[in-house]
Amino acid sequence: MSLHEACGLFGICSTEDKIAESLHLGLFTLQHRGQEAAGFALARGGEFFLYKDLGSVEEVYRQGNVRLRRGQLGIAHTRYSTAGESAAENAQPIGLHRQGRWLALTHNGTVANAARLRRELSEQGVVFQGSSDTEILLQLYARAPEGTSPEERLARLAGQVRGAYSLLLLDGDRLIAARDPFGFRPLVIGRRGADWLIASETAALEMVGARPEREVRPGEAVIFRPGREPEARRFAPERAIRCCVFELIYFGRPDSVIFDHDVYQFRKRTGCLLARKEGSAIDLVVPVPDSGVPAALGYAQALGCPLELGLIRSHYVGRSFIEPQQASRLQVVKMKLLPLRSVLSGRRVALVDDSIVRGTTAKAVVELVREFGAAEVHLRIASPPIIAPCFFGIDMPTKAELLASGRTLAEIKEFLQADSINYLTLAELAEATGVGAGLVPALGGFCDACFSGCYPAGSLAEDDLFRGATCRTPTCKTR
Ligand code: 5GP
Ligand code: MG
């Protein structure tokens, strides 16, 4: 079984050795990127400390007494994988003692050809601690001869690995930040006095008082040492950059800037674009909280229609999306959201959400909003229909589970029991990214495989295309 991970990374390189609290606060800000496991690695001189376990950032930080640990270098990770594959040994960072020094690695993304690489490495005698694809990356990095530079190690790794990887590595007295040549997942560098901080999202940098400086570039490794200027090294040639557009649509925090896009403003823009083609009479706009809120605001403002919080969200219910059984998923959505009768009663409601994956959320909220008195329910989705799985780190299920895969708009509307449904088109999504509509089907600079079915050329190895991932775009080179 494969692992789908969309994780949070946070790292510090400091001239002082009291980094534990910032490491904790930074990672805590990235809790939305993974709630299953967390871990911290700190290094100072030859000293090395690693603690990781299943649980929230808070829990793991407390259980491990990480607060008491000293280090000038630190990396931390919060993990999100699908249910059933959650084992403590798959938590990160993953550590290894090799060639007289400690290595530790954290990874955001997915190795698409993990099965083959694992088989090959096992045949060569590598013994793995767990079943995660991240350990493959660490083994590939570690196996070069002593004295090999980090960028050379990463170049070798890049030659073998297909898929997505934003990485933070502790390698002896260095902290290394690296992004795969496509730049699928984000990674951004910030500064606070003499300290350097690296995070999946700018919100985590801002939270610890660091100023975002720049992103790690695709195919680039940036090497940090306490008290020194960072050194940027290229380990792979620039490719056509393919940042994950779903980071902007759903995954990232609205208070982050990701791939140089202000996430909040981007989401509002998608809502405006939806409003532009509104054909139904709407009394009221209701966001599906939390992720649908910015798009709903943009939509309501553009339409000049009132926005009301017709669905109140409980913050004490866990992740509905990754519940293993469909029945329990539906139950959790209903536990999470309670409609307001006084707001909805007798009104023609536009329900705005950021995306539909399996359709669990949309089906539940349409039903709920009707139950609580809405006269009409019009679904407005601020992204295109998701038709193809992701092999680059977003937890998209198989094609068969994706609501929009192989269904017409009329069938989707029927299934969800909505009075009408409207998605964003790929062209409108391109417009929202500011790239312009001329580049459809592939958004320039972005990976849109989940919407287009077209995987970036060279991002997957031909024989590793699992679960029937073939491209339906005639001009596509991954076919
Ligand atoms: P669905 O319920 O259709 O399977 O998923 C769509 C809903 O889950 C939307 O409300 C969206 O905000 C959220 N969502 C979309 N993608 C993801 C994801 O990768 N993880 C989680 N936890 N939620 C997601
Ligand atoms: Mg949502």
Side-chain angles (χ1 to χ4, degrees), residues 285-362:
V285 180
V286 171
V288 180
D290 291 323
S291 48
V293 173
L297 262 172
Y299 175 86
Q301 282 174 9
L303 217 57
C305 187
L307 179 139
E308 294 273 5
L309 302 182
L311 286 164
I312 303 298
R313 184 197 157 151
S314 163
H315 284 271
Y316 305 100
V317 177
R319 305 150 298 168
S320 48
F321 187 84
I322 55 176
E323 284 288 318
Q325 302 300 324
Q326 189 61 24
S328 58
R329 265 193 216 113
L330 198 66
Q331 204 51 45
V332 175
V333 173
K334 290 193 169 185
M335 269 167 71
K336 188 155 85 178
L337 299 170
L338 198 62
L340 290 185
R341 214 180 295 276
S342 64
V343 166
L344 300 168
S345 194
R347 317 299 293 277
R348 293 169 297 184
V349 175
L351 266 178
V352 183
D353 204 357
D354 61 284
S355 61
I356 295 179
V357 184
R358 296 182 184 89
T360 316
T361 308

Side-chain angles (χ1 to χ4, degrees), residues 5 14 95 185 244 266 304 329 385 397-398 401 406 409 424 429 436 445 468 472 474-475 478:
E5 298 177 47
S14 175
R185 310 252 72 88
C244 168
F266 168 86
R329 265 193 216 113
T398 57
E401 289 176 273
L409 211 57
L424 218 59
L429 183 60
R472 62 181 183 87
T475 54
T478 59

Side-chain angles (χ1 to χ4, degrees), residues 443-471:
L443 298 181
F446 284 95
C447 175
D448 60 8
C450 54
F451 304 122
S452 66
C454 181
Y455 299 89
S459 61
L460 298 171
E462 290 289 326
D463 50 347
D464 287 314
L465 289 179
F466 49 98
R467 283 184 285 165
T470 48
C471 184

Side-chain angles (χ1 to χ4, degrees), residues 99-101 143-148 153:
Q99 295 168 352
R101 66 187 192 283
R143 67 205 318 261
E146 211 166 338
T148 309
R153 289 172 188 268

Side-chain angles (χ1 to χ4, degrees), residues 222-233:
V222 184
I223 302 170
F224 300 88
R225 265 182 273 202
R228 297 210 205 170
E229 278 301 301
E231 293 167 52
R233 314 245 175 95

